[in-house]
Amino acid sequence: MIVTCIVLGLMVLAGLWTVMTRSLVRSAIGLALTSVILTVLMFLLGATMAAVFELSVCAGLITVVFISTISMTKALTHEALLQKTRDRLKRYWYLPALLLVGGAVLAFVLAPLPPGGALPAPATVDFAALKQMIWKERQTDILGQITIIFAGVTGVIVLFKERKGEKE
Amino acid sequence: MPLVFVLVPLIALLAINLPLGSVGRKLGFPTAALLALLQIGAVLAAPGAWLGSPAPSGASGVAPVVGGLKLAFSADRLSLLLLLSIGIAALAALCVARGLERKEDRGGESRFYNLVILAMAGMNGVSLVTDFFSLYIFLEITAVSSYVLIALEREKEGLEGAFKYLILSVIATVMMLTAIGLFLLTTGDTSFAAVAKAVSAGQAGTGASDWTLLLAAGLFTAGLCVKGGLVPFHAWVPDAYSSAPAPVSVLLAGIVTKTTGVYTLIRLAGTVFAGAFHIELIFLVVGILTVVVGALAAMWQKDMKRMLAYSSISQVGYIVLALGAASPLGAAAAAFHLFNHAIFKGQLFVNAAAVEAQTGTRDMDELGGLGSRMPLTSWTSVIAFLSAAGIPPLAGFWSKLLIVLALWKSGHPIFAVAAILASILTLAYFLMLQRKVFFGKSLEKLGSVKEASAWLVVPALVLALVSLAVGLLFPMLWNTILVQVPGI
């Protein structure tokens, strides 16, 4: 329990750093770090398969996409960056407080649940059950997920494809 | 077999995007229009054919197995009403897009049509699912298509509108996902039936922690309020509607936000959270706030589309207010007003598109006297705004009357009176729009303006006729998919 809480605290700190840091690259790395700590948390709580997905997709794939995108952008000057940080602190000073209060409320509300929650995660991964769940029980969602990916790809093509007469 | 409403658009989309070169691109408009027409026809011709068990509110919550696929889609009368509204709004948007396409581009661009088909598949899915997680997935399909549609022209205004919508939608998504997690934690399932059972058990004091379910229900409802643009989560609506290309505004204001935020509220208020957590009180307060804030903000607008956007917020408030009555009449009134809103607001945005296309501006201070130059647009606009303001014998009058009656009968006379008074505000800002744009002295600089093309005028005429016909034939509509109660 104590270790879980410490890891949870670390994850929140990494998340805050991701949001507050000045550099986009550091922010992307911060997001990857948050994902890695979340992976550890999932392992600790016994959700092994979810941890594997989190590590491979969120910590791995998405970071690569972010860093490659950022490499195509131009950096701000040091002064502009400092100004942006000051503005951001002024505008969003209440967000960490809101996070802490929200967390406390959630913890208070969820406290009456049985230890470990109503759905204790299995100690070992049951691949057959997972297969059954994804491919047999949630076929509607799989169809939907495929459509979301298709919609995302269509969106990228529509927004980034060079149109006729736009080259010049 | 309600599954066809999701699968057919997806298969059609794949078919027209096969590498067929220019042939595939030319098929964009006819395919999308045919899909919308088929959807309208299928619902109107044989509504009974699509109704099956288990209904989304069904007690069993077991998904039917179709051809070896366990796809949890099922339709009831509310789903059918939404499917009909989706078909009509999509068809109007498609006609506007066709009308505004440059002649030389016709058949050359299919991106808009592809995205409309995707949005239709997403919205149809939303209307047919029976599970919170599936609902979230189909909401996301609709949302992703909408972000891209708003930013379609890649101009600064559109990109900004899409970005605002994206950010607020993500906040809504986080709320909804947290709620789904809490539902799973407390009930072990995410189907509507299982959550409804847990909610009623929690209310009776025999089930899981009432607080956890209350938090989950609150988070999910708040998420839907963001999606539906209800006060105080409405900030993104005017930017998104006014910055989007004209046909996209028709689709967004007519049906997209009504599906993602309003239909879902009607569905959950009626079947899952029915009578629990005093949710009707929240609907009453949020509803009346939305009605009044939307109407007051609309009065100060100069941009025609922004005024219509605020009016849209206000009309959504009426639908939510009806849910506050927490009665079958209230739910039926909410569903009927949703349909009427799709018709008259879709039509007003078609009219706005016609005015913008012919004059090059949406600034009402720069317009005037268009009534004599664009008579069809002007008169259809009159019908739409009278319907929106609830003037007899148009369709909007009946749905507003049902809303007021539902509120009165459920013991909320103050809210009923407030709803009637707010209708006067609706009439006021629409009269202002009509006077500034269509009536009055014709401006010299608008001397060469002519009536818009048939692609813009015909949808406006058809939608105006629907408002008129539904209003005149109202006594025959009891206990049909339009008015889902046998009588007052």
Side-chain angles (χ1 to χ4, degrees):
Chain A
M1 183 70 181
I2 296 168
V3 178
T4 313
C5 286
I6 294 171
V7 176
L8 185 67
L10 282 176
M11 192 186 77
V12 171
L13 285 178
L16 278 175
W17 185 62
T18 306
V19 181
M20 303 305 286
T21 185
R22 271 186 252 157
S23 142
L24 269 180
V25 178
R26 273 185 222 157
S27 188
I29 293 168
L31 186 66
L33 189 66
T34 314
S35 269
V36 169
I37 304 176
L38 178 60
T39 307
V40 174
L41 200 62
M42 284 171 168
F43 269 115
L44 285 176
L45 295 173
T48 326
M49 280 314 289
V52 170
F53 280 122
E54 178 67 29
L55 190 65
S56 56
V57 179
C58 298
L61 191 66
I62 289 181
T63 311
V64 172
V65 174
F66 272 147
I67 304 260
S68 7
T69 310
I70 294 163
S71 68
M72 290 184 238
T73 62
K74 208 171 79 183
L76 283 174
T77 61
H78 186 63
E79 287 73 32
L81 216 55
L82 278 176
Q83 188 56 42
K84 272 202 175 295
T85 312
R86 276 196 292 270
D87 289 349
R88 204 181 320 175
L89 281 174
K90 226 187 267 176
R91 283 173 72 177
Y92 302 117
W93 59 269
Y94 54 88
L95 281 184
L98 208 66
L99 182 78
L100 288 176
V101 172
V105 169
L106 268 178
F108 171 72
V109 171
L110 294 179
L113 282 176
L119 286 179
T124 54
V125 182
D126 184 351
F127 284 101
L130 190 80
K131 220 165 78 180
Q132 168 79 14
M133 176 55 75
I134 292 178
W135 298 111
K136 301 273 182 215
E137 300 294 322
R138 313 293 310 189
Q139 284 173 344
T140 316
D141 304 338
I142 296 292
L143 174 73
Q145 291 279 14
I146 294 168
T147 315
I148 293 185
I149 295 170
F150 190 74
V153 172
T154 311
V156 169
I157 294 171
V158 164
L159 292 179
F160 292 97
K161 191 181 156 196
E162 226 163 55
R163 285 174 206 165
K164 274 183 218 163
E166 270 187 355
K167 255 186 181 163
E168 57 281 344
Chain B
M1 280 290 283
L3 169 68
V4 293
F5 287 107
V6 177
L7 271 192
V8 170
L10 292 178
I11 293 167
L13 185 65
L14 287 176
I16 60 169
N17 282 288
L18 288 173
L20 296 172
S22 61
V23 179
R25 285 199 294 275
K26 277 182 186 150
L27 288 174
F29 172 74
T31 309
L34 186 66
L35 284 170
L37 275 172
L38 281 176
Q39 186 156 321
I40 298 167
V43 174
L44 287 180
W50 309 106
L51 299 174
S53 63
S57 53
S60 67
V62 179
V65 178
V66 182
L69 290 174
K70 192 177 175 186
L71 291 161
F73 294 115
S74 81
D76 62 1
R77 294 197 300 175
L78 181 58
S79 321
L80 291 184
L81 179 64
L82 188 71
L83 288 171
L84 179 65
S85 313
I86 293 168
I88 294 173
L91 194 58
L94 289 165
C95 289
V96 172
R98 190 65 163 179
L100 296 180
E101 257 180 7
R102 286 180 304 174
K103 278 221 170 78
E104 60 270 27
D105 284 347
R106 270 185 196 166
E109 289 276 4
S110 58
R111 55 205 172 97
F112 173 78
Y113 306 115
N114 283 340
L115 286 160
V116 171
I117 296 175
L118 263 174
M120 275 176 72
M123 288 189 282
N124 290 354
V126 169
S127 68
L128 296 167
V129 290
T130 57
D131 179 285
F132 275 99
F133 192 72
S134 307
L135 176 65
Y136 153 74
I137 285 183
F138 283 93
L139 283 175
E140 285 303 293
I141 296 172
T142 317
V144 170
S145 321
S146 309
Y147 308 144
V148 187
L149 277 169
I150 297 171
L152 201 61
E153 298 300 332
R154 294 191 286 190
E155 280 160 7
K156 189 173 174 282
E157 211 191 0
L159 287 167
E160 200 182 316
F163 185 71
K164 276 189 188 165
Y165 183 28
L166 171 73
I167 294 297
L168 274 156
S169 262
V170 167
I171 294 172
T173 300
V174 170
M175 289 181 182
M176 289 194 280
L177 272 179
T178 311
I180 292 170
L182 291 174
F183 284 139
L184 188 64
L185 203 64
T186 45
T187 66
D189 195 356
T190 53
S191 73
F192 290 167
V195 175
K197 209 169 140 191
V199 167
S200 54
Q203 291 286 296
T206 53
S209 156
D210 206 21
W211 276 102
T212 319
L213 279 172
L214 172 66
L215 179 71
L219 281 171
F220 207 92
T221 310
L224 295 180
C225 287
V226 177
K227 294 250 179 203
L230 287 155
V231 172
F233 308 110
H234 62 291
W236 64 271
V237 176
D239 289 332
Y241 287 10
S242 61
S243 61
V248 180
S249 305
V250 176
L251 194 70
L252 269 182
I255 200 67
V256 171
T257 51
K258 310 310 165 273
T259 304
T260 54
V262 184
Y263 158 82
T264 39
L265 277 179
I266 302 177
R267 165 71 67 211
L268 298 184
T271 55
V272 184
F273 308 136
F277 314 126
H278 299 296
I279 204 157
E280 70 278 6
L281 283 180
I282 300 169
F283 287 143
L284 283 173
V285 175
V286 171
I288 199 68
L289 266 178
T290 308
V291 168
V292 175
V293 170
L296 286 176
M299 307 213 44
W300 304 108
Q301 302 306 315
K302 283 183 177 173
D303 182 310
M304 202 172 162
K305 269 167 81 174
R306 278 188 91 82
M307 178 184 268
L308 294 180
Y310 277 109
S311 154
S312 213
I313 294 173
S314 178
Q315 297 303 318
V316 164
Y318 277 100
I319 301 175
V320 175
L321 199 57
L323 295 178
S327 64
L329 182 63
F336 188 34
H337 199 60
L338 187 148
F339 171 79
N340 285 339
H341 183 270
I343 302 294
F344 62 65
K345 198 47 61 70
Q347 192 202 320
L348 284 165
F349 272 97
V350 171
N351 290 335
V355 169
E356 192 184 0
Q358 299 308 101
T359 63
T361 181
R362 298 192 310 249
D363 187 339
M364 291 190 287
D365 289 344
E366 290 182 21
L367 295 165
L370 286 180
S372 55
R373 304 186 187 285
M374 303 175 74
L376 290 172
T377 305
S378 171
W379 281 107
T380 49
S381 169
V382 170
I383 293 176
F385 91 69
L386 289 178
S387 183
I391 305 294
L394 297 157
F397 163 71
W398 295 108
S399 53
K400 282 200 175 171
L401 182 69
L402 289 186
I403 292 172
V404 171
L405 278 174
L407 287 168
W408 196 278
K409 286 180 89 169
S410 60
H412 303 295
I414 296 172
F415 287 97
V417 172
I420 297 171
L421 290 177
S423 245
I424 299 171
L425 284 180
T426 312
L427 193 62
Y429 64 72
F430 273 134
L431 275 174
M432 209 156 70
L433 180 148
Q434 196 70 20
R435 188 178 60 83
K436 280 187 172 174
V437 179
F438 296 106
F439 299 161
K441 233 168 68 182
S442 184
L443 297 181
E444 215 170 278
K445 63 179 176 180
L446 301 174
S448 57
V449 170
K450 281 189 239 146
E451 185 58 274
S453 74
W455 287 107
L456 289 133
V457 173
V458 172
L461 275 173
V462 172
L463 292 174
L465 281 176
V466 173
S467 275
L468 200 60
V470 170
L472 292 173
L473 299 176
F474 179 76
M476 293 171 208
L477 297 175
W478 291 111
N479 216 13
T480 61
I481 59 167
L482 284 181
V483 189
Q484 302 179 355
V485 276
I488 303 170

